[in-house]
Amino acid sequence: MTNRKMFFTMLWGAVFRRRSRAMMAVIASLVGAATLFCLASVCVAVPQQMNEEMRAYGANLIVTPASATGKSQGIDTATVRNVTALIGAGHSVKSAAYRYESVRINSAPYTIAGVDVKAVRALNRHWNVTGDWPGSGNVMVGRDVADALGVKVGSRVTIGYRAADASASASSSASAKSDSDESTETAESSAQGTQSTQTTQGEQTTQATENGRVSSDIMDNNGTEFRIAGIVDTGGNEDSIIYATTADVSKLAGHERGADVVEYSVNAMGDELNAIVNRINKNTNTAVKAQTVTKITSSDTRIIAMLQTLFWIVSLVVLVLTLVGVGTTISSIVSQRRNEIGLCKALGADSRAIGVEFYVESGIYGLIGGLLGTAIGYVLARVLCATVFGRAIGFDWLLGAGSLLLSVAIAVIASIPPVRRATRIDPAIVLREE
C-alpha cells in the first residue's frame, strides 16, 4: 500500500469511525457558516432595500433656481427635463415640481402650491390624505390650514391672489432659509424669494383685475372659489400649504411660469448622492442649484451604519464561538486517538504527516459544515428579507464562496493548538502505557 493510499485510508477511518465527534465538528462549522452567511447577505441587501424603502418617505434631493432671474421665471420644463436626465443616468428617479404663490383666504395669508398631482402622489406615498387629491377647481389643504379655517372635505373657500403680498413675504425669506432640514422648508423659502422678485418687477400690476386675482386692498376677500377635495396630514410643513393643480394656480395668478422647486427621490445615498449634487451644481448650463435633504439622507446613513455595526459585532461573536466549538471537538478527537498517534510515530510517521492528517480532517469538517451552513443561511436570509422588506434576494455566489472558504479556514485554524499537542506525543510513553 502506497503512502498516499494509506493516508486516505486513515483519513476515511478517522472521519467515519468517530461519527459522533465528526458530527459535532460539522455542526459547529454549520452554525457558524449559516449565521455569518445570513448576516452577510442581509447586510449586503439591506442598504439597497432600505434606500428603496426610504424613498417612499419623500425626496432626498431638491433643485431650485440658481439666480434671481431664474427665481422670477422659475425652472422651465426643458431645464427640468435636462436635470432629470442628468440625475437619472444610472439611477432610478422620481420627481415632482412645485410652483409656490402667496394667496389670501378671509384676508389671512397662505401659501398655495401648484403641482402635477400624479407626480407628487408617486413621490410622497407616505402622505396621509383624507378625501381626494386636488383636481380642476378642487384643492387639497394641509391639516393646519383646515383647522385654522374650520373647513372639512367638501367645504368651499374663496382664494384670492394679490401680487402685493409677495413684498411682505420677501422680508422674511432671508431668515426663513435653512440648510434643507426638510425639503418643504427650502421650497417655501425659495417660493418667497421668487415672489419678492416678481414684486420688484411687477409693481405696476397691483391694481385689481378679473376675478379678484390681484388686489391692493388688504381686506379684499374677492377671489376664485374652490372646493376642498381633501386634507393632507403629514405632521410636517406640508400641513400648512394648500395644494392645487398647476393649471389652477396659473389661472389664479394670471400668468404661467416655471417651478420654484423640483424634488427628486433618487435611488442613491451617501457619497454617490453627493456626487450627483456636485455634478448638477458644476453644470452651468442648467442654471439651477441642487442640495440634499439632510434629514432623509442622514437617517438613511445612520440606520445602515447601525445595522452594519451590529453585523460586525455579531459576526465576531459567531467567529469566536465557531473557533471554540471546532477547537474543542478536535481536541477531543486528539485525546481519543492518542494511542493511535503514538503507534504511528513509533512506526516511522513524522510530526508533519500527523499534522497534515488532522488539518485535512478539520478542513473536511469545515467544508461539509460550510456547504450545509451556507445553504441554510441563504434560506434564513430569504425568509428574513421577505418578512421584513417583502422582497426576495438572490444567491450571491461570491459571498457563498467566501463563506465556504472561511468555514474551512476557521476549522483548520481552530485545530492548530490540538494538532500541536498531537505532534508532541511521545510514542515510548504511549506504548509503555499500553
Side-chain angles (χ1 to χ4, degrees), residues 284-295:
T284 57
N285 296 327
T286 58
V288 296
K289 179 178 66 175
Q291 55 187 328
T292 59
V293 182
T294 55
K295 189 171 184 178

Side-chain angles (χ1 to χ4, degrees), residues 351-368:
S351 298
R352 179 177 177 277
I354 294 173
V356 168
E357 179 183 344
F358 277 102
Y359 288 139
V360 173
E361 183 179 345
S362 300
I364 291 174
Y365 297 148
L367 179 64
I368 297 172

Side-chain angles (χ1 to χ4, degrees), residues 11-12 14-16 18-19 21-34 322 326 359-377 400 403-409 411-412:
L11 187 62
W12 180 269
V15 172
F16 288 95
R18 299 173 177 83
R19 288 188 292 270
R21 299 292 181 181
M23 187 65 67
M24 291 176 61
V26 169
I27 291 175
S29 296
L30 183 152
V31 171
T322 304
V326 175
Y359 288 139
V360 173
E361 183 179 345
S362 300
I364 291 174
Y365 297 148
L367 179 64
I368 297 172
L371 284 171
L372 296 176
T374 300
I376 295 173
S403 174
L404 198 60
L405 291 175
L406 184 61
S407 297
V408 174
V412 172

Side-chain angles (χ1 to χ4, degrees), residues 115-127:
V115 299
D116 180 336
V117 176
K118 184 178 180 181
V120 173
R121 192 170 186 173
L123 183 65
N124 300 287
R125 290 179 289 167
H126 67 290
W127 283 12

Side-chain angles (χ1 to χ4, degrees), residues 45 49 52 378 381-387 389-395:
Q49 300 279 11
E52 293 179 4
Y378 172 63
R382 279 185 65 91
V383 171
L384 185 60
C385 286
T387 303
F389 298 104
R391 300 178 185 179
I393 61 172
F395 186 83

Side-chain angles (χ1 to χ4, degrees), residues 102-424:
S102 287
V103 296
R104 284 188 175 267
I105 303 176
N106 298 334
S107 301
Y110 291 95
T111 298
I112 190 170
V115 299
D116 180 336
V117 176
K118 184 178 180 181
V120 173
R121 192 170 186 173
L123 183 65
N124 300 287
R125 290 179 289 167
H126 67 290
W127 283 12
N128 181 23
V129 177
T130 303
D132 297 324
W133 287 70
S136 179
N138 295 273
V139 297
M140 180 176 70
V141 300
R143 171 55 60 186
D144 294 343
V145 177
D147 292 342
L149 296 175
V151 296
K152 58 183 180 180
V153 175
S155 300
R156 291 188 171 274
V157 294
T158 299
I159 301 178
Y161 173 81
R162 298 173 64 252
D165 283 342
S167 61
S169 64
S171 62
S172 61
S173 62
S175 60
K177 186 85 172 178
S178 67
D179 292 331
S180 60
D181 286 339
E182 291 190 26
S183 59
T184 309
E185 291 178 359
T186 306
E188 290 184 39
S189 300
S190 176
Q192 292 168 350
T194 302
Q195 293 155 8
S196 174
T197 307
Q198 290 175 331
T199 302
T200 304
Q201 295 179 349
E203 290 289 343
Q204 69 274 19
T205 65
T206 59
Q207 299 303 316
T209 60
E210 184 180 1
N211 294 328
R213 288 194 296 265
V214 180
S215 173
S216 60
D217 185 358
I218 193 171
M219 298 304 294
D220 187 355
N221 291 326
N222 293 329
T224 303
E225 187 178 71
F226 290 90
R227 176 183 173 273
I228 296 178
I231 298 174
V232 59
D233 188 355
T234 67
N237 287 350
E238 295 87 358
D239 292 358
S240 61
I241 297 177
I242 303 167
Y243 294 90
T245 64
T246 303
D248 279 348
V249 172
S250 297
K251 184 177 179 181
L252 182 68
H255 64 279
E256 295 183 356
R257 65 178 180 84
D260 296 303
V261 175
V262 182
E263 295 183 349
Y264 289 93
S265 178
V266 189
N267 189 23
M269 61 196 322
D271 294 337
E272 191 176 9
L273 184 61
N274 290 330
I276 295 174
V277 171
N278 292 333
R279 188 162 64 244
I280 295 172
N281 291 334
K282 290 179 180 178
N283 190 332
T284 57
N285 296 327
T286 58
V288 296
K289 179 178 66 175
Q291 55 187 328
T292 59
V293 182
T294 55
K295 189 171 184 178
I296 297 294
T297 55
S298 62
S299 297
D300 286 0
T301 305
R302 184 170 60 254
I303 293 172
I304 292 172
M306 290 172 60
L307 289 174
Q308 290 176 336
T309 301
L310 179 63
F311 162 74
W312 286 113
I313 293 174
V314 175
S315 298
L316 181 61
V317 173
V318 171
L319 283 173
V320 172
L321 293 177
T322 304
L323 284 169
V324 171
V326 175
T328 302
T329 304
I330 299 299
S331 295
S332 177
I333 292 174
V334 169
S335 298
Q336 284 186 338
R337 296 175 60 185
R338 186 168 179 271
N339 294 339
E340 179 184 333
I341 294 170
L343 181 59
C344 289
K345 296 188 75 172
L347 294 175
D350 58 9
S351 298
R352 179 177 177 277
I354 294 173
V356 168
E357 179 183 344
F358 277 102
Y359 288 139
V360 173
E361 183 179 345
S362 300
I364 291 174
Y365 297 148
L367 179 64
I368 297 172
L371 284 171
L372 296 176
T374 300
I376 295 173
Y378 172 63
V379 172
L380 292 175
R382 279 185 65 91
V383 171
L384 185 60
C385 286
T387 303
V388 177
F389 298 104
R391 300 178 185 179
I393 61 172
F395 186 83
D396 191 327
W397 290 100
L398 183 62
L399 193 61
S403 174
L404 198 60
L405 291 175
L406 184 61
S407 297
V408 174
I410 290 175
V412 172
I413 292 172
S415 66
I416 291 177
V419 169
R420 284 183 175 178
R421 289 196 299 271
T423 57
R424 296 194 187 102

